[in-house]
Amino acid sequence: QVQLVESGGGLVQAGGSLRLTCAASGRTFSSYAMGWFRQAPGKERDFVAHIHHSGENTYYADSVKGRFTISRDNAKNTVYLQMNSLKPEDTAVYYCAARYVRGPYYPYQRRSEYEYWGQGTQVTVSS
């Protein structure tokens, strides 16, 4: 089992940057693909970014491509989401998620494809 704890959220002005961190428990973190999702008030929880268990492959939602970067440090059991050029529409609770990798690379984007979730961290972007 994997436990995930997000941190790094906060209030930032439009155009600013934040880096979210997701710390994972467990000895087999390097066997898990990781994802970031976000949920704005009254909306569905949407996919943001994915990183393969090795860190070699990443995938992004079109809305964040070129602005956000997902990365991981398997030695520290940590995944990051660097968010630059933030916009008010990026305001949401951000969640990290984990999925045990059982086969070849695939950019998992559906909520149902992830097995473990953190509690979320609030990101608010003011205009």
Side-chain angles (χ1 to χ4, degrees), residues 38-109:
R38 65 186 181 186
Q39 187 167 17
K43 295 189 176 181
E44 297 288 320
R45 190 174 299 186
D46 293 331
F47 169 77
V48 174
H50 163 93
I51 188 165
H52 195 44
H53 68 93
S54 68
E56 292 181 356
N57 300 94
T58 58
Y59 189 81
Y60 298 92
D62 288 343
S63 58
V64 306
K65 201 173 296 183
R67 299 188 298 124
F68 290 11
T69 302
I70 188 171
S71 61
R72 67 190 295 160
D73 185 338
N74 285 344
K76 296 182 178 179
N77 283 15
T78 303
V79 63
Y80 306 97
L81 185 68
Q82 178 67 44
M83 306 186 295
N84 299 329
S85 303
L86 282 162
K87 305 175 181 180
E89 52 263 44
D90 295 318
T91 295
V93 177
Y94 283 71
Y95 299 88
C96 70
R99 175 195 169 94
Y100 185 77
V101 176
R102 297 175 176 88
Y105 169 70
Y106 181 81
Y108 300 105
Q109 301 165 59

